[in-house]
Amino acid sequence: NAGVTQTPKFQVLKTGQSMTLQCAQDMNHEYMSWYRQDPGMGLRLIHYSVGAGITDQGEVPNGYNVSRSTTEDFPLRLLSAAPSQTSVYFCASSSIITTGESGGYTFGSGTRLTVV
Amino acid sequence: LAKTTQPISMDSYEGQEVNITCSHNNIATNDYITWYQQFPSQGPRFIIQGYKTKVTNEVASLFIPADRKSSTLSLPRVSLSDTAVYYCLVGGNTGTASKLTFGTGTRLQVTL
C-alpha cells in the first residue's frame, strides 16, 4: 500500500549512542518532514525537506541531523542520544501543493524511542 | 505562521453532533485551514481542508466564516471510534507547507 513507512517501530538507546530513524515514501512527494511528539503534547517540527538535496531546520532541530539524497527517503539521525530525546517520532510527506484536493500530509505510524 | 487556539478537551455522547471551533486571528490571505485526527499510538490523519465558506466530505464538514478568523469542524453523529485528538492547522500554501505547526489539539471523548 502506498504511504509512509517508518522503521524501526520501537527502539531503546543508551545515553550517548547514535542511531538513524528511517523514513520512506512511495508517493513521489516533494515535501518530507520529521516531528516529535512528547506525552500529552502536540507535534513539534524537527527538520524538513522540500526536495532531494534540500533540507532545513524546524522548531526543535538540536541533536538531530537529516539528509535527502533521494525523493523517497528522509532519514533522521540522532548524533548522541540523550534522555530528553525520549519521544515518539513521526515522519510525514506531502505533495508540493497541499491545498484543495491534495489531502494534506500523510504520516507514518511512528517510532517510539526511549533513551536510558 | 498563523497561531491557532482550540479547546483542550470536549466530551460527547454517541450519536450526537460535535462541533470543534478553532480560532486563527492572524490567518494569511493564502492560508488554508486543515484538520487532522490522531488516535493513540498512530500518526495524524488528514480529515478535511478548506479556504472559505463550507466544505463537506464523507467524514466531516468544515465551516469557515467570511473573515476566516475561525473555523468549525463538525462531526455528525459521533461514535465511540471518533474518540481522538483533533488538530486545526493553518498554512499549507507552497513554500510554507513544510512548516505546518501542530498545537496541542482538542481531545474528544465519546461515551455511550
Side-chain angles (χ1 to χ4, degrees):
Chain A
N1 292 336
V4 177
T5 302
Q6 291 186 236
T7 56
K9 293 191 183 300
F10 301 94
Q11 183 70 50
V12 178
L13 289 178
K14 294 182 179 179
T15 298
Q17 286 185 317
S18 63
M19 80 159 294
T20 299
L21 279 62
Q22 302 292 343
C23 175
Q25 53 92 7
D26 57 3
M27 297 170 284
N28 202 32
H29 282 167
E30 295 88 350
Y31 286 118
M32 296 187 75
S33 308
W34 276 102
Y35 291 84
R36 62 176 287 176
Q37 185 173 36
D38 300 321
M41 304 287 287
L43 285 77
R44 291 186 291 171
L45 182 63
I46 305 172
H47 285 286
Y48 66 95
S49 169
V50 300
I54 306 170
T55 64
D56 206 345
Q57 296 181 350
E59 181 185 357
V60 288
N62 293 340
Y64 307 95
N65 275 355
V66 292
S67 60
R68 184 93 179 271
S69 57
T70 67
T71 300
E72 295 77 20
D73 300 299
F74 191 43
L76 177 72
R77 298 184 186 84
L78 278 70
L79 308 174
S80 177
S84 60
Q85 293 178 304
T86 294
S87 189
V88 180
Y89 292 83
F90 291 102
C91 179
S93 73
S94 70
S95 65
I96 196 166
I97 303 296
T98 62
T99 57
E101 300 298 317
S102 69
Y105 278 84
T106 300
F107 282 82
S109 57
T111 295
R112 188 173 297 273
L113 175 68
T114 301
V115 182
V116 298
Chain B
L1 296 173
K3 176 181 168 61
T4 61
T5 303
Q6 309 173 229
I8 293 175
S9 63
M10 296 182 67
D11 295 310
S12 177
Y13 291 109
E14 197 172 42
Q16 290 188 325
E17 178 184 76
V18 171
N19 296 309
I20 305 175
T21 297
C22 177
S23 66
H24 27 78
N25 291 319
N26 59 339
I27 187 170
T29 302
N30 57 357
D31 280 342
Y32 276 69
I33 300 155
T34 310
W35 286 79
Y36 287 84
Q37 175 191 55
Q38 186 179 27
F39 297 114
S41 302
Q42 295 186 25
R45 182 176 73 101
F46 172 89
I47 300 177
I48 196 167
Q49 185 177 73
Y51 184 80
K52 61 180 179 181
T53 61
K54 177 184 174 182
V55 179
T56 298
N57 61 23
E58 65 278 6
V59 176
S61 295
L62 178 60
F63 298 92
I64 305 168
D67 67 4
R68 303 199 331 120
K69 293 184 182 300
S70 67
S71 59
T72 299
L73 174 72
S74 181
L75 305 172
R77 296 182 299 280
V78 294
S79 65
L80 296 176
S81 63
D82 292 316
T83 294
V85 178
Y86 293 82
Y87 296 96
C88 163
L89 284 76
V90 295
N93 196 25
T94 303
T96 65
S98 55
K99 291 185 178 180
L100 289 177
T101 301
F102 285 76
T104 53
T106 298
R107 187 172 301 273
L108 173 65
Q109 179 69 51
V110 181
T111 56
L112 292 173

